[in-house]
Amino acid sequence: QNMTVKIGVIGSREYVNMRKIKDVIFKLKERFGEDLEIVSGEQKQGADGMAKKIALELDMKYVSFPPAHYPYNSHCILEQTEYDKPYRVWNYSARNKQIAEYSDYIFAFIPKGKESRGTNDTIKHAKKLEKKVVVFN
């Protein structure tokens, strides 16, 4: 029985505290070991990009849900045909919903006093699906 714990690590593009994200991911790895999969939205700046870098550095399972107008990459869990589409503003919202649906938990990193619409959109979807959400500043 494969009991992989899927943790969506998301957050603001303005989030810069890499050490905090690294500590959180490292603790998750210590707790769940091989049974942990890190999920992100493939945004290069901020929390998503750091989560990807850290997960791959620590040789962890990592999957991604880029917006549909991004190029396909080897970490994408959806089919290649889902990507390289024309840009649409709602591609981001669709991606946020995919992350919320796929993940067991959402770990969101938002700098204090910042409004992070995309992150809050993902959190909203996750709460609707009764997923556990943990927010870090």
Side-chain angles (χ1 to χ4, degrees):
Q1 169 77 356
N2 179 9
M3 282 303 296
T4 301
V5 180
K6 303 192 277 287
I7 298 190
V9 180
I10 60 164
S12 166
R13 294 179 193 191
E14 297 172 59
Y15 196 86
V16 293
N17 188 348
M18 183 131 176
R19 169 162 285 157
K20 179 88 157 253
I21 295 183
K22 201 167 208 166
D23 285 348
V24 169
I25 292 177
F26 195 78
K27 284 194 181 89
L28 289 169
K29 183 182 164 84
E30 282 185 331
R31 182 168 169 198
F32 297 110
E34 289 297 302
D35 299 325
L36 175 65
E37 185 175 75
I38 299 294
V39 185
S40 106
E42 203 68 26
Q43 182 60 48
K44 289 199 175 34
Q45 303 95 344
D48 285 31
M50 290 190 259
K52 176 179 182 175
K53 188 175 184 311
I54 294 160
L56 296 177
E57 272 174 16
L58 295 174
D59 202 27
M60 297 164 77
K61 293 180 192 142
Y62 169 79
V63 300
S64 72
F65 289 91
H69 56 279
Y70 276 37
Y72 174 83
N73 71 65
S74 62
H75 303 291
C76 295
I77 204 142
L78 300 176
E79 295 295 316
Q80 192 158 356
T81 52
E82 299 289 321
Y83 298 101
D84 290 303
K85 297 267 203 295
Y87 171 82
R88 299 276 184 272
V89 74
W90 61 80
N91 290 352
Y92 288 104
S93 190
R95 178 275 305 270
N96 295 342
K97 190 165 186 267
Q98 288 165 350
I99 292 172
E101 287 169 346
Y102 181 83
S103 303
D104 299 315
Y105 300 89
I106 294 292
F107 280 35
F109 292 84
I110 306 172
K112 257 193 185 27
K114 292 283 182 205
E115 164 68 28
S116 183
R117 278 194 326 218
T119 305
N120 288 327
D121 183 47
T122 310
I123 290 171
K124 195 183 74 210
H125 287 303
K127 286 189 167 161
K128 209 177 279 177
L129 296 160
E130 297 182 1
K131 306 286 177 95
K132 187 153 171 48
V133 176
V134 188
V135 179
F136 298 87
N137 294 124

